[in-house]
Amino acid sequence: MPAAPNTSGSARGRATLRPRKTAALLAQRIVGEITDRGLEPGTPLPSERDMLEEYAVARGTLRESLRFLEMQGVLTIRTGPGGGPVVSRPGSRHLASTIAMMLQLEQVAFRSIVEARVVLEPELARRAATNATPEQLEALRASSERMRERIADPDVFIEENDTFHGLIAEAAGNPVFSMIITSLTWICDGTPLGVEYSEAARVAVSKEHARILRAVEAGDPERAGAAMAVHIGDFAAYLEAKYPRVLDATLRWDQVDL
């Protein structure tokens, strides 16, 4: 008797059998060449004429590929004489945009982003206390100090809050953590949803950043994780007390600052 067919992952299996568009394949090839050749941001790519000859594709296909890569932050397209595609580097905003779009389509509430940070960030602080380099510690100190000195400026507060959490994730020593957390912070500060931070709230956050920093500087993972757990927990409690409707609101792609 023949064995029953294995249906696990069948949807993905069917997807792999579907022919991929030439433009998508070309985009993947261009990215592969950028990484294989070690091309740095700012490096011009060949002209359209040269690309058409090299890749042997239609002009419409090439332009579709380049537009897609531009939207992903891989390239910038310079116009005018001497213009053309130039290598760029996608940032956390690009991943945040993709995440926000998917969350809107799934009708996910803002609360889910906050809960994800409650789970993830204490562990990242613990790892940062073990793995942070002297340069990363210096950057954390500079961010903490700038927030403290400019505490009256809400824009600086938001900027340095994002910077500090991104640096902690980077110092954890795994680029995936950094990509995820810095993307979530673009979504999670809540300001596009109407969240505001009083000066007293900003001062409290600044003090919590300083406590996290001291624990990371001391190389104390347990203290660093505990300090971050308090910090993210306080953030969640602040939203619950003052902006419960925001927590329950469905995330929207157009609320991410791109």
Side-chain angles (χ1 to χ4, degrees), residues 2 53 60 68 71 82 93 103 130 133 143 155 173 198 207 212 221 224:
E53 182 177 342
F68 174 77
M71 289 179 62
R93 291 187 182 191
L103 293 177
T130 301
T133 66
S143 176
D155 292 334
S198 66
K207 290 179 178 179
I212 295 165

Side-chain angles (χ1 to χ4, degrees), residues 3-194:
N6 181 6
T7 58
S8 63
S10 58
R12 182 171 183 178
R14 287 193 298 272
T16 58
L17 296 175
R18 186 183 306 127
R20 283 180 286 180
K21 290 182 64 175
T22 303
L25 292 170
L26 178 56
Q28 292 170 346
R29 180 175 173 182
I30 292 171
V31 169
E33 291 175 356
I34 289 171
T35 55
D36 292 345
R37 297 174 184 175
L39 301 183
E40 295 294 327
T43 304
L45 293 182
S47 67
E48 181 179 272
R49 177 183 298 177
D50 291 340
M51 282 187 164
L52 289 172
E53 182 177 342
E54 178 180 355
Y55 299 130
V57 296
R59 179 175 281 104
T61 297
L62 174 62
R63 290 180 176 178
E64 183 181 350
S65 298
L66 296 178
R67 281 194 299 269
F68 174 77
L69 293 176
E70 185 177 31
M71 289 179 62
Q72 300 301 313
V74 177
L75 304 175
T76 56
I77 308 296
R78 294 178 180 171
T79 58
V86 177
V87 175
S88 186
R89 186 75 76 235
S92 57
R93 291 187 182 191
H94 296 92
L95 181 55
S97 175
T98 300
I99 291 172
M101 177 183 65
M102 294 176 67
L103 293 177
Q104 179 176 348
L105 292 171
E106 294 295 324
Q107 298 186 323
V108 174
F110 182 73
R111 181 184 303 276
S112 296
I113 295 290
V114 177
E115 290 174 351
R117 292 185 65 185
V118 167
V119 172
L120 291 172
E121 295 214 46
E123 177 60 26
L124 299 187
R126 282 190 282 270
R127 290 171 180 258
T130 301
N131 298 325
T133 66
E135 293 77 16
Q136 288 167 336
L137 289 173
E138 183 56 37
L140 284 164
R141 291 186 201 105
S143 176
S144 180
E145 186 65 16
R146 185 165 186 258
M147 177 182 279
R148 186 186 66 79
E149 292 176 348
R150 302 282 299 279
I151 202 66
D153 188 329
D155 292 334
V156 172
F157 168 80
I158 292 296
E159 179 183 343
E160 292 306 328
N161 186 61
D162 292 349
T163 297
F164 186 87
H165 285 272
L167 287 168
I168 289 289
E170 181 183 334
N174 185 320
V176 176
F177 294 146
S178 181
M179 290 178 188
I180 292 173
I181 290 300
T182 53
S183 297
L184 293 184
T185 56
W186 278 113
I187 304 171
C188 196
D189 69 48
T191 51
L193 302 173

